[in-house]
Amino acid sequence: QVQLVESGGGLVQAGGSLRLSCAVSGSIFAIKAMSWYRQAPGKQRELVAATSSSGSVNYADSVKGRFTASRDNAKKTVDLQMNSLKPEDTAVYYCYGVATTTQARGINRAYWGQGTQVTVSS
């Protein structure tokens, strides 16, 4: 059983900062991609930041220069530091991972966290 658990969401004023964390647990053999997505009310889920196992990170244009994703492969965590937050950043933020398990080392599977709410007030 693989679980992704997010933490760190909350309410913040525009211009403020929040840091989200995602921890992966379970019978993990190898983690490939780890990403952050978000979904605002009435909108589709969108990619915020995608990290690879090599450490490269790609960001959505809307968050470049404000958000920083960092990944610790040893700890099986990925964080999202969000600075200069705007009301339009309000959304449920989801952690997403692609991994293989000890029981199925050759099969990549995708996993989602339960989501954490980020609300930015104007």
Side-chain angles (χ1 to χ4, degrees):
Q1 186 79 3
V2 175
Q3 285 189 317
L4 277 64
V5 179
E6 303 101 335
S7 61
L11 173 64
V12 66
Q13 287 188 330
S17 299
L18 281 175
R19 188 176 183 88
L20 306 182
S21 294
C22 173
V24 182
S25 63
S27 303
I28 295 293
F29 177 69
I31 300 175
K32 307 298 177 65
M34 289 190 77
S35 305
W36 286 97
Y37 283 76
R38 67 186 181 186
Q39 188 167 19
K43 294 188 177 181
Q44 288 189 331
R45 192 170 297 189
E46 63 175 358
L47 178 66
V48 175
T51 75
S52 71
S53 56
S54 65
S56 63
V57 186
N58 289 309
Y59 297 96
D61 288 342
S62 59
V63 306
K64 282 181 181 176
R66 301 187 297 121
F67 290 13
T68 302
S70 57
R71 174 172 166 171
D72 188 324
N73 289 324
K75 294 182 179 179
K76 300 176 186 175
T77 60
V78 61
D79 293 346
L80 186 68
Q81 177 66 41
M82 305 185 293
N83 298 327
S84 302
L85 282 161
K86 304 175 181 179
E88 50 263 43
D89 294 318
T90 295
V92 178
Y93 283 70
Y94 296 91
C95 182
Y96 170 84
V98 175
T100 59
T101 63
T102 54
Q103 297 89 348
R105 298 184 179 188
I107 301 175
N108 291 323
R109 287 198 171 96
Y111 303 91
W112 288 95
Q114 82 285 355
T116 185
Q117 177 71 45
V118 171
T119 303
V120 184
S121 63
S122 57

